[in-house]
Amino acid sequence: MSRVQTYKEGEAAASQQAESNTGSKVRSERVALLLLSALLAAAAVVIYRLSFAHFQTNKNLQMLKDENEAMRENLTAESCPTCEPGWDQHGGSCYYFSSNKLNWNQSRSDCKGRGADLVQINSKEEQRFLDDKVGGKITSYIDSFWIGLTDSKEKGRWLWVDDSPLNTSLSFWYKNEPNNWTGENPAGEDCVMMGVQGGATDLKCWFDRSCKVPLRRICEKAAKTG
Ligand SMILES: *[C@@H]1O[C@H](CO)[C@@H](O)[C@H](O)[C@H]1NC(C)=O
Ligand SMILES: *[C@@H]1O[C@H](CO)[C@@H](O)[C@H](O)[C@H]1NC(C)=O
Ligand SMILES: *[C@@H]1O[C@H](CO)[C@@H](O)[C@H](O)[C@H]1NC(C)=O
Ligand SMILES: *[C@@H]1O[C@H](CO)[C@@H](O)[C@H](O)[C@H]1NC(C)=O
Ligand SMILES: [Ca+2]
Ligand SMILES: [Ca+2]
């Protein structure tokens, strides 16, 4: 072997070595790229999963919020009957206490025009509430409020506006009433008003009075419960 040959062979080997070095470099770059891609893909999956979970959580939260709102509204509607402005709520009813005065017939018509009727007193509790209310509004003797009780249909038979008869154990006549006094109207007294100044301690504050007299009135209608 000549030296030149040997040299050339050595050169070739070196070049081959370099080539093989370049090859392995490319391979490891590819591996790194692949690894990076895999990592990226994994990251993308994780991000997607997380954002999906986040979206789901938000959706669930919104659903829970809506449900809570609906239940709250249900509760308010069921437990709190409401009355329009100008009406007082008590029990399941709304009451309107007028400040102007009309005769009994006109008073009834006016109440009907408000989606109500003249008040019917169905319990001691309701009488107590009304007596207390009107007691604070009355400033002069026998200047009180019409209620939905009359014997104008049948003399001596007291009927409420729904035609139900007056229950004698739920009557709250003031002493010596009803007296069918003819001093104000010769036809006597066929309609009932209630209330004494400051309220009646024994709740007895009903008077029969001429239906033609203009007085204030109490209208009653059912409270809205949603
Ligand atoms: C609200 O009440 C209604 C009837 O009372 C009922 O059908 C409905 O399921 C209730 N809604 C909720 C969210 O409780
Ligand atoms: C009330 O008095 C009038 C007039 O005197 C009379 O016509 C009427 O029958 C009396 N009513 C009752 C219930 O007695
Ligand atoms: C009359 O009222 C009393 C006391 O509230 C009650 O016990 C009774 O059942 C009522 N009678 C009628 C016929 O409604
Ligand atoms: C009230 O109206 C009734 C019929 O609706 C009538 O018979 C009666 O005479 C009227 N009374 C007064 C005082 O206007
Ligand atoms: Ca009533
Ligand atoms: Ca009277």
Side-chain angles (χ1 to χ4, degrees), residues 142 158 173 176-182 184 188-191 193 206-210:
I142 300 230
W158 296 102
W173 296 109
N176 303 326
E177 300 285 335
N179 60 0
N180 196 29
W181 186 51
T182 50
E184 195 168 37
E189 301 180 310
D190 293 342
C191 292
M193 64 177 197
W206 294 1
F207 304 78
D208 60 343
R209 187 100 187 260
S210 164

Side-chain angles (χ1 to χ4, degrees), residues 134-219:
V134 300
K137 296 175 190 283
I138 292 164
T139 50
S140 85
Y141 173 66
I142 300 230
D143 175 24
S144 44
F145 291 75
W146 285 128
I147 64 172
L149 189 60
T150 179
D151 78 335
S152 55
K153 268 194 181 171
E154 218 182 295
K155 297 276 171 215
R157 192 157 181 253
W158 296 102
L159 295 177
W160 290 107
V161 283
D162 71 349
D163 288 332
S164 63
L166 173 64
N167 182 339
T168 48
S169 58
L170 280 174
S171 303
F172 301 95
W173 296 109
Y174 189 76
K175 61 170 185 270
N176 303 326
E177 300 285 335
N179 60 0
N180 196 29
W181 186 51
T182 50
E184 195 168 37
N185 178 0
E189 301 180 310
D190 293 342
C191 292
V192 180
M193 64 177 197
M194 77 171 284
V196 293
Q197 193 172 349
T201 46
D202 57 359
L203 301 180
K204 293 181 177 163
C205 62
W206 294 1
F207 304 78
D208 60 343
R209 187 100 187 260
S210 164
C211 302
K212 289 184 176 165
V213 175
L215 291 177
R216 288 180 282 181
R217 62 195 166 281
I218 308 170
C219 305

Side-chain angles (χ1 to χ4, degrees), residues 90 121-131 169-170 172 202-203:
H90 181 80
I121 299 166
N122 315 98
S123 68
K124 198 172 175 177
E125 159 58 22
E126 190 173 16
Q127 170 67 15
R128 187 174 292 116
F129 165 73
L130 296 171
D131 174 56
S169 58
L170 280 174
F172 301 95
D202 57 359
L203 301 180

Side-chain angles (χ1 to χ4, degrees), residues 22-39:
T22 311
S24 82
K25 216 176 181 180
V26 166
R27 259 200 304 281
S28 63
E29 268 171 8
R30 274 197 188 143
V31 165
L33 217 75
L34 232 85
L35 237 127
L36 250 153
S37 304
L39 268 168

Side-chain angles (χ1 to χ4, degrees), residues 85-131:
W87 294 68
D88 286 48
Q89 194 247 312
H90 181 80
S93 291
C94 299
Y95 300 91
Y96 173 78
F97 301 88
S98 83
S99 45
N100 70 331
K101 297 176 178 184
L102 297 170
N103 72 34
W104 194 88
N105 270 3
Q106 292 165 337
S107 293
R108 190 168 183 206
S109 299
D110 177 88
C111 287
K112 285 185 169 177
R114 296 168 192 273
D117 206 337
L118 279 170
V119 67
Q120 283 184 230
I121 299 166
N122 315 98
S123 68
K124 198 172 175 177
E125 159 58 22
E126 190 173 16
Q127 170 67 15
R128 187 174 292 116
F129 165 73
L130 296 171
D131 174 56

